[in-house]
Amino acid sequence: MAPKDKPLTGKIDASRIKMMEVPRPEQGLIEGFKALGDASCVVSDVLDELGITGVLGASLYRPTIAGRCIVGPALTVRNIVQREHPYETARNKVNKMAEFEAHNLALPGDVIVIDGVVGISNMGGISAQTGKRQGEAGAIISGAIRDVAHSRSVDYPVWATEITPVTGKWRIQTVEINGDIDMSGVRVSPGDIVIADDTGVCFVPISRAAEVLRAATRKAQLEQEKCKVIDTGIPVYEVTRFQTDTAHKQ
């Protein structure tokens, strides 16, 4: 593996990499969010209550592997469209994609988050396999991906807005790694906590992550209590009253 103290290739100027190392979460944060299971709904409720914008639905960011739930720090990438015509860049083999620089910087458990280009693949099978080899939890991509069967075969889950066979190699330019990005109106910074499951994706600012985890843990415990009460067979109107009572406790 290439050393992490310098760029892996010459495809992106080192000055475009904002941080060589992303902020790391406090000990126990990732494990705490993982313990919640498929918690995007609980975390979404908490973000609402705390006034934090950070939720994207799975109807837009569709998971490639059903039933997967990932939690990890965001390692961000920003792509734009190359100026040159793709047939010329293909003929001259001009590839300005550089998400491999992100793979090179990633630590086990990181989530690659790409502010990408629509209609063009921002990640393919080789990239996904590299991410899996690096120990990444998966990727969230605003834009298209391809080689879905390949990424599934190596068990690398991706949440993306589009799927296409059209390669980004000759069409996309990576302009920044580990800077702030925009994911469908949600600002994501390097190190923010990513929670993704079948229902959607939540981005939790790292500065608020401990606060969100505490509230989400309480809410998840109350929901478990509600489910146990429902299983006892109590009347529906009693379930409604129980929900109201526990809501006041929060």
Side-chain angles (χ1 to χ4, degrees), residues 41-218:
C41 294
V42 169
V43 173
S44 175
D45 288 354
V46 170
L47 293 181
D48 278 349
E49 292 163 6
L50 296 177
I52 300 172
T53 301
V55 182
L56 301 169
S59 56
L60 178 60
Y61 285 79
R62 296 178 292 277
T64 56
I65 303 178
R68 295 300 302 273
C69 177
I70 66 170
V71 179
L75 201 162
T76 62
V77 177
R78 184 162 63 91
N79 291 337
I80 63 172
V81 178
Q82 283 199 53
R83 288 184 177 182
E84 297 83 0
H85 194 284
Y87 297 163
E88 291 186 11
T89 52
R91 184 166 53 249
N92 296 318
K93 301 296 187 286
V94 179
N95 181 0
K96 295 183 179 180
M97 289 185 71
E99 84 280 5
F100 278 86
E101 299 289 0
H103 294 316
N104 183 48
L105 296 173
L107 296 179
D110 283 352
V111 179
I112 302 297
V113 183
I114 300 179
D115 177 2
V117 179
V118 300
I120 302 169
S121 175
N122 295 262
M123 177 178 283
I126 298 298
S127 183
Q129 186 167 345
T130 302
K132 179 69 176 182
R133 197 280 306 272
Q134 296 295 86
E136 296 163 14
I140 316 295
I141 300 174
S142 175
I145 59 171
R146 70 178 195 164
D147 301 326
V148 174
H150 189 159
S151 59
R152 284 177 181 152
S153 72
V154 298
D155 194 31
Y156 185 86
V158 181
W159 283 253
T161 58
E162 299 177 49
I163 298 173
T164 180
V166 178
T167 182
K169 288 196 293 285
W170 323 125
R171 296 173 169 86
I172 283 176
Q173 178 179 356
T174 299
V175 293
E176 189 175 66
I177 294 174
N178 281 345
D180 290 343
I181 59 174
D182 184 290
M183 299 292 285
S184 302
V186 174
R187 178 173 174 171
V188 181
S189 298
D192 286 352
I193 307 301
V194 183
I195 299 104
D197 57 26
D198 282 341
T199 309
V201 181
C202 296
F203 297 103
V204 180
I206 191 168
S207 61
R208 308 285 300 274
E211 178 185 10
V212 171
L213 177 58
R214 287 192 296 271
T217 300
R218 290 194 300 269

